[in-house]
Amino acid sequence: DTTNINTVLVLCPVNTLYNWSVEWNKWLPITLRDYHVWIMNDKANSKRVNKLERWSITGGVMIMGYEMFRNLSQLKNIRRKKHKEVLPKYLLDPGPDIIICDEGHVLRQENLIYL
């Protein structure tokens, strides 16, 4: 059966990025799937945008920290006009087909604004 889900975004604490990748590969090894698991750990905005563009085109799972998502989706420290135009498209509108929030209780804390 098919779900018509092409892009999955996993939001998690930054210290669990690699754990998510290891677990994904453990439960669904590369040899048994036809998509890529991406880890958003790049330092340069140009590399981040490039990775998000490839993910949005080819599909797969993007694993990203909450703070990175917040900064990119709010265009914090984004200077290039092209990046400001495409980041909302990749992350918010239309954004991924589904979002998985690890440690979701973080989202409910009243004094924190992540999304």
Side-chain angles (χ1 to χ4, degrees), residues 55-102:
W55 166 69
S56 73
I57 292 169
T58 63
V61 177
M62 176 65 72
I63 304 171
M64 180 185 302
Y66 281 108
E67 191 78 15
M68 174 84 69
F69 177 80
R70 188 185 78 198
N71 290 339
L72 293 176
S73 64
Q74 293 180 354
L75 305 176
K76 187 174 181 180
N77 297 319
I78 306 296
R79 292 175 180 82
R80 291 187 182 167
K81 182 179 177 183
K82 180 187 185 257
H83 293 173
K84 288 181 178 184
E85 292 172 357
V86 298
L87 281 170
K89 179 179 114 180
Y90 300 146
L91 296 172
L92 302 171
D93 188 14
D97 295 320
I98 189 168
I99 299 175
I100 299 170
C101 296
D102 183 21

mmCIF file of all heavy atoms in Angstrom, residues 55-102:
data_model
loop_
_atom_site.group_PDB
_atom_site.id
_atom_site.type_symbol
_atom_site.label_atom_id
_atom_site.label_comp_id
_atom_site.label_asym_id
_atom_site.label_seq_id
_atom_site.Cartn_x
_atom_site.Cartn_y
_atom_site.Cartn_z
ATOM 1 N N TRP A 55 16.179 17.239 -0.471
ATOM 2 C CA TRP A 55 15.192 16.455 0.272
ATOM 3 C C TRP A 55 13.784 16.714 -0.256
ATOM 4 O O TRP A 55 13.007 15.782 -0.445
ATOM 5 C CB TRP A 55 15.303 16.807 1.749
ATOM 6 C CG TRP A 55 14.166 16.360 2.627
ATOM 7 C CD1 TRP A 55 13.852 15.071 2.956
ATOM 8 C CD2 TRP A 55 13.224 17.188 3.295
ATOM 9 N NE1 TRP A 55 12.763 15.057 3.800
ATOM 10 C CE2 TRP A 55 12.358 16.351 4.019
ATOM 11 C CE3 TRP A 55 13.029 18.568 3.360
ATOM 12 C CZ2 TRP A 55 11.320 16.841 4.799
ATOM 13 C CZ3 TRP A 55 11.998 19.048 4.141
ATOM 14 C CH2 TRP A 55 11.153 18.197 4.849
ATOM 15 N N SER A 56 13.462 17.974 -0.533
ATOM 16 C CA SER A 56 12.105 18.288 -1.004
ATOM 17 C C SER A 56 11.844 17.717 -2.395
ATOM 18 O O SER A 56 10.708 17.392 -2.720
ATOM 19 C CB SER A 56 11.865 19.801 -0.990
ATOM 20 O OG SER A 56 12.570 20.429 -2.028
ATOM 21 N N ILE A 57 12.889 17.559 -3.183
ATOM 22 C CA ILE A 57 12.740 17.007 -4.539
ATOM 23 C C ILE A 57 12.722 15.483 -4.518
ATOM 24 O O ILE A 57 11.850 14.852 -5.123
ATOM 25 C CB ILE A 57 13.872 17.518 -5.452
ATOM 26 C CG1 ILE A 57 13.717 19.018 -5.699
ATOM 27 C CG2 ILE A 57 13.888 16.764 -6.781
ATOM 28 C CD1 ILE A 57 14.911 19.669 -6.366
ATOM 29 N N THR A 58 13.686 14.886 -3.813
ATOM 30 C CA THR A 58 13.821 13.426 -3.850
ATOM 31 C C THR A 58 13.013 12.718 -2.775
ATOM 32 O O THR A 58 12.759 11.522 -2.874
ATOM 33 C CB THR A 58 15.299 13.006 -3.694
ATOM 34 O OG1 THR A 58 15.772 13.429 -2.417
ATOM 35 C CG2 THR A 58 16.150 13.607 -4.789
ATOM 36 N N GLY A 59 12.620 13.451 -1.737
ATOM 37 C CA GLY A 59 11.860 12.840 -0.655
ATOM 38 C C GLY A 59 12.766 12.190 0.377
ATOM 39 O O GLY A 59 13.991 12.273 0.297
ATOM 40 N N GLY A 60 12.154 11.563 1.339
ATOM 41 C CA GLY A 60 12.890 10.886 2.399
ATOM 42 C C GLY A 60 12.585 11.490 3.757
ATOM 43 O O GLY A 60 11.590 12.198 3.938
ATOM 44 N N VAL A 61 13.471 11.206 4.683
ATOM 45 C CA VAL A 61 13.309 11.634 6.074
ATOM 46 C C VAL A 61 14.399 12.645 6.388
ATOM 47 O O VAL A 61 15.578 12.365 6.195
ATOM 48 C CB VAL A 61 13.413 10.427 7.028
ATOM 49 C CG1 VAL A 61 13.327 10.875 8.480
ATOM 50 C CG2 VAL A 61 12.344 9.398 6.708
ATOM 51 N N MET A 62 14.009 13.811 6.870
ATOM 52 C CA MET A 62 14.955 14.831 7.309
ATOM 53 C C MET A 62 14.882 14.891 8.831
ATOM 54 O O MET A 62 13.805 15.125 9.399
ATOM 55 C CB MET A 62 14.606 16.192 6.726
ATOM 56 C CG MET A 62 15.484 17.330 7.203
ATOM 57 S SD MET A 62 17.201 17.219 6.700
ATOM 58 C CE MET A 62 17.057 17.595 4.957
ATOM 59 N N ILE A 63 16.015 14.687 9.493
ATOM 60 C CA ILE A 63 16.089 14.747 10.947
ATOM 61 C C ILE A 63 16.758 16.069 11.313
ATOM 62 O O ILE A 63 17.856 16.362 10.849
ATOM 63 C CB ILE A 63 16.876 13.549 11.508
ATOM 64 C CG1 ILE A 63 16.253 12.239 11.026
ATOM 65 C CG2 ILE A 63 16.918 13.608 13.031
ATOM 66 C CD1 ILE A 63 17.088 11.008 11.340
ATOM 67 N N MET A 64 16.068 16.855 12.140
ATOM 68 C CA MET A 64 16.531 18.209 12.437
ATOM 69 C C MET A 64 16.220 18.561 13.888
ATOM 70 O O MET A 64 15.179 18.165 14.420
ATOM 71 C CB MET A 64 15.793 19.181 11.496
ATOM 72 C CG MET A 64 16.146 20.633 11.662
ATOM 73 S SD MET A 64 15.138 21.743 10.615
ATOM 74 C CE MET A 64 15.447 21.136 8.982
ATOM 75 N N GLY A 65 17.093 19.323 14.503
ATOM 76 C CA GLY A 65 16.847 19.799 15.855
ATOM 77 C C GLY A 65 15.781 20.887 15.878
ATOM 78 O O GLY A 65 15.595 21.615 14.900
ATOM 79 N N TYR A 66 15.090 20.993 17.002
ATOM 80 C CA TYR A 66 14.051 22.015 17.156
ATOM 81 C C TYR A 66 14.599 23.424 16.920
ATOM 82 O O TYR A 66 13.978 24.239 16.257
ATOM 83 C CB TYR A 66 13.435 21.959 18.561
ATOM 84 C CG TYR A 66 12.420 20.873 18.742
ATOM 85 C CD1 TYR A 66 12.699 19.755 19.515
ATOM 86 C CD2 TYR A 66 11.170 20.967 18.149
ATOM 87 C CE1 TYR A 66 11.762 18.751 19.694
ATOM 88 C CE2 TYR A 66 10.228 19.966 18.316
ATOM 89 C CZ TYR A 66 10.527 18.866 19.085
ATOM 90 O OH TYR A 66 9.601 17.891 19.251
ATOM 91 N N GLU A 67 15.756 23.698 17.492
ATOM 92 C CA GLU A 67 16.339 25.037 17.385
ATOM 93 C C GLU A 67 16.668 25.384 15.929
ATOM 94 O O GLU A 67 16.422 26.493 15.466
ATOM 95 C CB GLU A 67 17.599 25.118 18.248
ATOM 96 C CG GLU A 67 18.145 26.511 18.425
ATOM 97 C CD GLU A 67 17.365 27.322 19.445
ATOM 98 O OE1 GLU A 67 16.587 26.750 20.223
ATOM 99 O OE2 GLU A 67 17.546 28.554 19.450
ATOM 100 N N MET A 68 17.212 24.423 15.202
ATOM 101 C CA MET A 68 17.529 24.631 13.785
ATOM 102 C C MET A 68 16.254 24.915 13.005
ATOM 103 O O MET A 68 16.207 25.827 12.187
ATOM 104 C CB MET A 68 18.229 23.406 13.206
ATOM 105 C CG MET A 68 18.467 23.476 11.715
ATOM 106 S SD MET A 68 19.942 24.355 11.251
ATOM 107 C CE MET A 68 21.187 23.232 11.828
ATOM 108 N N PHE A 69 15.207 24.140 13.275
ATOM 109 C CA PHE A 69 13.935 24.362 12.589
ATOM 110 C C PHE A 69 13.421 25.765 12.868
ATOM 111 O O PHE A 69 12.998 26.482 11.964
ATOM 112 C CB PHE A 69 12.897 23.325 13.017
ATOM 113 C CG PHE A 69 11.555 23.564 12.397
ATOM 114 C CD1 PHE A 69 11.303 23.173 11.098
ATOM 115 C CD2 PHE A 69 10.556 24.204 13.111
ATOM 116 C CE1 PHE A 69 10.064 23.402 10.512
ATOM 117 C CE2 PHE A 69 9.325 24.440 12.541
ATOM 118 C CZ PHE A 69 9.069 24.034 11.234
ATOM 119 N N ARG A 70 13.449 26.145 14.126
ATOM 120 C CA ARG A 70 12.962 27.483 14.492
ATOM 121 C C ARG A 70 13.760 28.572 13.781
ATOM 122 O O ARG A 70 13.198 29.499 13.202
ATOM 123 C CB ARG A 70 13.022 27.690 16.001
ATOM 124 C CG ARG A 70 12.332 29.001 16.417
ATOM 125 C CD ARG A 70 12.482 29.285 17.871
ATOM 126 N NE ARG A 70 13.838 29.811 18.036
ATOM 127 C CZ ARG A 70 14.475 29.864 19.186
ATOM 128 N NH1 ARG A 70 13.920 29.411 20.266
ATOM 129 N NH2 ARG A 70 15.671 30.376 19.262
ATOM 130 N N ASN A 71 15.064 28.463 13.813
ATOM 131 C CA ASN A 71 15.907 29.483 13.179
ATOM 132 C C ASN A 71 15.690 29.548 11.678
ATOM 133 O O ASN A 71 15.586 30.641 11.105
ATOM 134 C CB ASN A 71 17.383 29.233 13.492
ATOM 135 C CG ASN A 71 17.711 29.516 14.942
ATOM 136 O OD1 ASN A 71 17.004 30.236 15.639
ATOM 137 N ND2 ASN A 71 18.791 28.922 15.407
ATOM 138 N N LEU A 72 15.627 28.409 11.023
ATOM 139 C CA LEU A 72 15.439 28.407 9.569
ATOM 140 C C LEU A 72 14.038 28.849 9.178
ATOM 141 O O LEU A 72 13.865 29.618 8.233
ATOM 142 C CB LEU A 72 15.741 27.020 8.993
ATOM 143 C CG LEU A 72 17.188 26.556 9.073
ATOM 144 C CD1 LEU A 72 17.315 25.129 8.553
ATOM 145 C CD2 LEU A 72 18.110 27.494 8.309
ATOM 146 N N SER A 73 13.031 28.382 9.891
ATOM 147 C CA SER A 73 11.657 28.741 9.520
ATOM 148 C C SER A 73 11.335 30.202 9.817
ATOM 149 O O SER A 73 10.500 30.809 9.156
ATOM 150 C CB SER A 73 10.646 27.828 10.213
ATOM 151 O OG SER A 73 10.700 27.995 11.612
ATOM 152 N N GLN A 74 12.023 30.783 10.801
ATOM 153 C CA GLN A 74 11.830 32.205 11.105
ATOM 154 C C GLN A 74 12.859 33.083 10.396
ATOM 155 O O GLN A 74 12.912 34.283 10.634
ATOM 156 C CB GLN A 74 11.901 32.426 12.617
ATOM 157 C CG GLN A 74 10.750 31.788 13.349
ATOM 158 C CD GLN A 74 10.829 32.001 14.849
ATOM 159 O OE1 GLN A 74 11.793 32.542 15.392
ATOM 160 N NE2 GLN A 74 9.795 31.574 15.547
ATOM 161 N N LEU A 75 13.671 32.446 9.536
ATOM 162 C CA LEU A 75 14.677 33.139 8.726
ATOM 163 C C LEU A 75 15.690 33.912 9.582
ATOM 164 O O LEU A 75 16.181 34.961 9.178
ATOM 165 C CB LEU A 75 14.012 34.058 7.698
ATOM 166 C CG LEU A 75 12.993 33.388 6.779
ATOM 167 C CD1 LEU A 75 12.328 34.413 5.881
ATOM 168 C CD2 LEU A 75 13.643 32.285 5.960
ATOM 169 N N LYS A 76 15.977 33.365 10.737
ATOM 170 C CA LYS A 76 16.946 33.995 11.641
ATOM 171 C C LYS A 76 18.358 33.849 11.059
ATOM 172 O O LYS A 76 18.780 32.747 10.715
ATOM 173 C CB LYS A 76 16.872 33.342 13.019
ATOM 174 C CG LYS A 76 17.708 34.023 14.061
ATOM 175 C CD LYS A 76 17.475 33.404 15.425
ATOM 176 C CE LYS A 76 18.289 34.112 16.477
ATOM 177 N NZ LYS A 76 18.092 33.544 17.802
ATOM 178 N N ASN A 77 19.057 34.961 10.945
ATOM 179 C CA ASN A 77 20.416 35.015 10.387
ATOM 180 C C ASN A 77 20.496 34.548 8.934
ATOM 181 O O ASN A 77 21.531 34.078 8.486
ATOM 182 C CB ASN A 77 21.398 34.210 11.247
ATOM 183 C CG ASN A 77 21.514 34.777 12.637
ATOM 184 O OD1 ASN A 77 21.547 35.984 12.825
ATOM 185 N ND2 ASN A 77 21.559 33.897 13.626
ATOM 186 N N ILE A 78 19.398 34.655 8.212
ATOM 187 C CA ILE A 78 19.376 34.319 6.786
ATOM 188 C C ILE A 78 19.496 35.627 6.020
ATOM 189 O O ILE A 78 18.653 36.511 6.154
ATOM 190 C CB ILE A 78 18.075 33.590 6.385
ATOM 191 C CG1 ILE A 78 17.848 32.363 7.263
ATOM 192 C CG2 ILE A 78 18.078 33.252 4.909
ATOM 193 C CD1 ILE A 78 18.889 31.286 7.131
ATOM 194 N N ARG A 79 20.539 35.756 5.230
ATOM 195 C CA ARG A 79 20.802 37.019 4.542
ATOM 196 C C ARG A 79 20.477 36.983 3.052
ATOM 197 O O ARG A 79 20.063 37.979 2.492
ATOM 198 C CB ARG A 79 22.261 37.424 4.749
ATOM 199 C CG ARG A 79 22.544 37.801 6.201
ATOM 200 C CD ARG A 79 24.016 38.097 6.464
ATOM 201 N NE ARG A 79 24.250 38.440 7.846
ATOM 202 C CZ ARG A 79 24.397 37.560 8.825
ATOM 203 N NH1 ARG A 79 24.345 36.282 8.570
ATOM 204 N NH2 ARG A 79 24.615 37.955 10.066
ATOM 205 N N ARG A 80 20.700 35.852 2.417
ATOM 206 C CA ARG A 80 20.485 35.766 0.970
ATOM 207 C C ARG A 80 19.004 35.764 0.628
ATOM 208 O O ARG A 80 18.206 35.031 1.218
ATOM 209 C CB ARG A 80 21.135 34.513 0.397
ATOM 210 C CG ARG A 80 22.632 34.570 0.435
ATOM 211 C CD ARG A 80 23.230 33.393 -0.291
ATOM 212 N NE ARG A 80 24.671 33.453 -0.208
ATOM 213 C CZ ARG A 80 25.464 32.465 -0.528
ATOM 214 N NH1 ARG A 80 24.951 31.321 -0.947
ATOM 215 N NH2 ARG A 80 26.762 32.597 -0.435
ATOM 216 N N LYS A 81 18.653 36.567 -0.347
ATOM 217 C CA LYS A 81 17.256 36.701 -0.766
ATOM 218 C C LYS A 81 16.686 35.362 -1.228
ATOM 219 O O LYS A 81 15.562 35.000 -0.877
ATOM 220 C CB LYS A 81 17.154 37.740 -1.885
ATOM 221 C CG LYS A 81 15.748 37.982 -2.345
ATOM 222 C CD LYS A 81 15.693 39.031 -3.443
ATOM 223 C CE LYS A 81 14.257 39.192 -3.915
ATOM 224 N NZ LYS A 81 14.148 40.132 -5.017
ATOM 225 N N LYS A 82 17.481 34.620 -2.001
ATOM 226 C CA LYS A 82 17.012 33.319 -2.499
ATOM 227 C C LYS A 82 16.685 32.380 -1.339
ATOM 228 O O LYS A 82 15.672 31.683 -1.354
ATOM 229 C CB LYS A 82 18.054 32.670 -3.400
ATOM 230 C CG LYS A 82 17.615 31.319 -3.935
ATOM 231 C CD LYS A 82 18.719 30.611 -4.682
ATOM 232 C CE LYS A 82 18.208 29.337 -5.283
ATOM 233 N NZ LYS A 82 18.577 28.146 -4.577
ATOM 234 N N HIS A 83 17.535 32.365 -0.316
ATOM 235 C CA HIS A 83 17.295 31.508 0.836
ATOM 236 C C HIS A 83 16.012 31.922 1.559
ATOM 237 O O HIS A 83 15.241 31.069 1.998
ATOM 238 C CB HIS A 83 18.474 31.554 1.801
ATOM 239 C CG HIS A 83 19.723 30.957 1.234
ATOM 240 N ND1 HIS A 83 20.923 31.037 1.899
ATOM 241 C CD2 HIS A 83 19.986 30.293 0.083
ATOM 242 C CE1 HIS A 83 21.856 30.419 1.180
ATOM 243 N NE2 HIS A 83 21.313 29.976 0.069
ATOM 244 N N LYS A 84 15.788 33.237 1.666
ATOM 245 C CA LYS A 84 14.576 33.731 2.321
ATOM 246 C C LYS A 84 13.315 33.333 1.546
ATOM 247 O O LYS A 84 12.250 33.181 2.131
ATOM 248 C CB LYS A 84 14.636 35.247 2.463
ATOM 249 C CG LYS A 84 15.639 35.701 3.501
ATOM 250 C CD LYS A 84 15.648 37.213 3.631
ATOM 251 C CE LYS A 84 16.627 37.652 4.698
ATOM 252 N NZ LYS A 84 16.613 39.086 4.942
ATOM 253 N N GLU A 85 13.461 33.174 0.252
ATOM 254 C CA GLU A 85 12.310 32.786 -0.575
ATOM 255 C C GLU A 85 12.009 31.291 -0.479
ATOM 256 O O GLU A 85 10.838 30.907 -0.465
ATOM 257 C CB GLU A 85 12.575 33.156 -2.034
ATOM 258 C CG GLU A 85 12.618 34.651 -2.285
ATOM 259 C CD GLU A 85 13.077 35.004 -3.698
ATOM 260 O OE1 GLU A 85 13.429 34.082 -4.476
ATOM 261 O OE2 GLU A 85 13.102 36.201 -4.017
ATOM 262 N N VAL A 86 13.044 30.454 -0.429
ATOM 263 C CA VAL A 86 12.811 29.008 -0.511
ATOM 264 C C VAL A 86 12.643 28.313 0.834
ATOM 265 O O VAL A 86 11.955 27.296 0.910
ATOM 266 C CB VAL A 86 13.914 28.302 -1.333
ATOM 267 C CG1 VAL A 86 13.923 28.802 -2.760
ATOM 268 C CG2 VAL A 86 15.274 28.441 -0.689
ATOM 269 N N LEU A 87 13.254 28.813 1.900
ATOM 270 C CA LEU A 87 13.149 28.131 3.191
ATOM 271 C C LEU A 87 11.703 27.959 3.666
ATOM 272 O O LEU A 87 11.340 26.861 4.097
ATOM 273 C CB LEU A 87 13.999 28.841 4.249
ATOM 274 C CG LEU A 87 15.495 28.526 4.180
ATOM 275 C CD1 LEU A 87 16.292 29.448 5.092
ATOM 276 C CD2 LEU A 87 15.761 27.071 4.523
ATOM 277 N N PRO A 88 10.863 28.997 3.594
ATOM 278 C CA PRO A 88 9.471 28.779 4.002
ATOM 279 C C PRO A 88 8.774 27.703 3.168
ATOM 280 O O PRO A 88 7.964 26.935 3.682
ATOM 281 C CB PRO A 88 8.824 30.149 3.799
ATOM 282 C CG PRO A 88 9.956 31.111 3.910
ATOM 283 C CD PRO A 88 11.131 30.395 3.295
ATOM 284 N N LYS A 89 9.111 27.625 1.903
ATOM 285 C CA LYS A 89 8.514 26.616 1.018
ATOM 286 C C LYS A 89 8.895 25.211 1.468
ATOM 287 O O LYS A 89 8.051 24.320 1.532
ATOM 288 C CB LYS A 89 8.973 26.858 -0.424
ATOM 289 C CG LYS A 89 8.449 25.866 -1.422
ATOM 290 C CD LYS A 89 8.929 26.209 -2.818
ATOM 291 C CE LYS A 89 9.839 25.119 -3.291
ATOM 292 N NZ LYS A 89 10.384 25.282 -4.607
ATOM 293 N N TYR A 90 10.163 25.013 1.795
ATOM 294 C CA TYR A 90 10.624 23.686 2.201
ATOM 295 C C TYR A 90 10.129 23.283 3.581
ATOM 296 O O TYR A 90 9.867 22.106 3.825
ATOM 297 C CB TYR A 90 12.150 23.619 2.191
ATOM 298 C CG TYR A 90 12.784 23.890 0.852
ATOM 299 C CD1 TYR A 90 14.007 24.533 0.761
ATOM 300 C CD2 TYR A 90 12.167 23.515 -0.340
ATOM 301 C CE1 TYR A 90 14.603 24.781 -0.460
ATOM 302 C CE2 TYR A 90 12.753 23.774 -1.569
ATOM 303 C CZ TYR A 90 13.968 24.403 -1.622
ATOM 304 O OH TYR A 90 14.550 24.651 -2.837
ATOM 305 N N LEU A 91 9.994 24.251 4.484
ATOM 306 C CA LEU A 91 9.692 23.921 5.878
ATOM 307 C C LEU A 91 8.251 24.170 6.309
ATOM 308 O O LEU A 91 7.765 23.513 7.232
ATOM 309 C CB LEU A 91 10.634 24.703 6.804
ATOM 310 C CG LEU A 91 12.111 24.353 6.678
ATOM 311 C CD1 LEU A 91 12.951 25.319 7.496
ATOM 312 C CD2 LEU A 91 12.364 22.916 7.109
ATOM 313 N N LEU A 92 7.563 25.142 5.686
ATOM 314 C CA LEU A 92 6.257 25.549 6.200
ATOM 315 C C LEU A 92 5.110 25.456 5.196
ATOM 316 O O LEU A 92 4.046 24.944 5.519
ATOM 317 C CB LEU A 92 6.343 26.999 6.717
ATOM 318 C CG LEU A 92 7.367 27.258 7.818
ATOM 319 C CD1 LEU A 92 7.500 28.744 8.087
ATOM 320 C CD2 LEU A 92 7.007 26.497 9.072
ATOM 321 N N ASP A 93 5.281 25.992 4.032
ATOM 322 C CA ASP A 93 4.165 26.087 3.092
ATOM 323 C C ASP A 93 4.621 25.825 1.669
ATOM 324 O O ASP A 93 5.136 26.732 1.042
ATOM 325 C CB ASP A 93 3.534 27.482 3.190
ATOM 326 C CG ASP A 93 2.244 27.597 2.384
ATOM 327 O OD1 ASP A 93 1.701 26.553 1.984
ATOM 328 O OD2 ASP A 93 1.801 28.724 2.171
ATOM 329 N N PRO A 94 4.515 24.631 1.164
ATOM 330 C CA PRO A 94 3.734 23.525 1.733
ATOM 331 C C PRO A 94 4.453 22.735 2.813
ATOM 332 O O PRO A 94 3.811 22.047 3.593
ATOM 333 C CB PRO A 94 3.443 22.640 0.530
ATOM 334 C CG PRO A 94 4.590 22.838 -0.383
ATOM 335 C CD PRO A 94 5.019 24.274 -0.173
ATOM 336 N N GLY A 95 5.787 22.779 2.853
ATOM 337 C CA GLY A 95 6.521 22.051 3.893
ATOM 338 C C GLY A 95 6.470 20.550 3.684
ATOM 339 O O GLY A 95 6.094 20.064 2.622
ATOM 340 N N PRO A 96 6.860 19.795 4.705
ATOM 341 C CA PRO A 96 6.870 18.332 4.596
ATOM 342 C C PRO A 96 5.458 17.759 4.614
ATOM 343 O O PRO A 96 4.507 18.424 5.036
ATOM 344 C CB PRO A 96 7.653 17.896 5.832
ATOM 345 C CG PRO A 96 7.464 18.998 6.807
ATOM 346 C CD PRO A 96 7.358 20.259 5.995
ATOM 347 N N ASP A 97 5.359 16.509 4.181
ATOM 348 C CA ASP A 97 4.053 15.838 4.193
ATOM 349 C C ASP A 97 3.633 15.456 5.606
ATOM 350 O O ASP A 97 2.445 15.417 5.914
ATOM 351 C CB ASP A 97 4.104 14.579 3.317
ATOM 352 C CG ASP A 97 4.340 14.920 1.857
ATOM 353 O OD1 ASP A 97 3.762 15.915 1.380
ATOM 354 O OD2 ASP A 97 5.124 14.200 1.198
ATOM 355 N N ILE A 98 4.600 15.169 6.452
ATOM 356 C CA ILE A 98 4.311 14.798 7.834
ATOM 357 C C ILE A 98 5.481 15.237 8.712
ATOM 358 O O ILE A 98 6.631 15.237 8.273
ATOM 359 C CB ILE A 98 4.047 13.275 7.975
ATOM 360 C CG1 ILE A 98 3.530 12.934 9.357
ATOM 361 C CG2 ILE A 98 5.283 12.473 7.622
ATOM 362 C CD1 ILE A 98 2.991 11.511 9.462
ATOM 363 N N ILE A 99 5.167 15.619 9.943
ATOM 364 C CA ILE A 99 6.187 16.015 10.917
ATOM 365 C C ILE A 99 6.057 15.123 12.147
ATOM 366 O O ILE A 99 4.964 14.931 12.672
ATOM 367 C CB ILE A 99 6.036 17.495 11.344
ATOM 368 C CG1 ILE A 99 6.202 18.418 10.136
ATOM 369 C CG2 ILE A 99 7.043 17.847 12.428
ATOM 370 C CD1 ILE A 99 5.957 19.885 10.443
ATOM 371 N N ILE A 100 7.192 14.593 12.581
ATOM 372 C CA ILE A 100 7.256 13.794 13.802
ATOM 373 C C ILE A 100 8.002 14.628 14.839
ATOM 374 O O ILE A 100 9.107 15.098 14.581
ATOM 375 C CB ILE A 100 8.002 12.464 13.564
ATOM 376 C CG1 ILE A 100 7.267 11.631 12.511
ATOM 377 C CG2 ILE A 100 8.187 11.700 14.880
ATOM 378 C CD1 ILE A 100 8.052 10.424 12.029
ATOM 379 N N CYS A 101 7.388 14.832 16.003
ATOM 380 C CA CYS A 101 8.016 15.638 17.058
ATOM 381 C C CYS A 101 8.417 14.737 18.216
ATOM 382 O O CYS A 101 7.570 14.252 18.959
ATOM 383 C CB CYS A 101 7.054 16.722 17.546
ATOM 384 S SG CYS A 101 6.627 17.916 16.287
ATOM 385 N N ASP A 102 9.723 14.514 18.333
ATOM 386 C CA ASP A 102 10.261 13.764 19.462
ATOM 387 C C ASP A 102 10.341 14.719 20.651
ATOM 388 O O ASP A 102 10.634 15.896 20.484
ATOM 389 C CB ASP A 102 11.648 13.237 19.108
ATOM 390 C CG ASP A 102 12.253 12.374 20.197
ATOM 391 O OD1 ASP A 102 11.496 11.846 21.029
ATOM 392 O OD2 ASP A 102 13.483 12.229 20.212
#
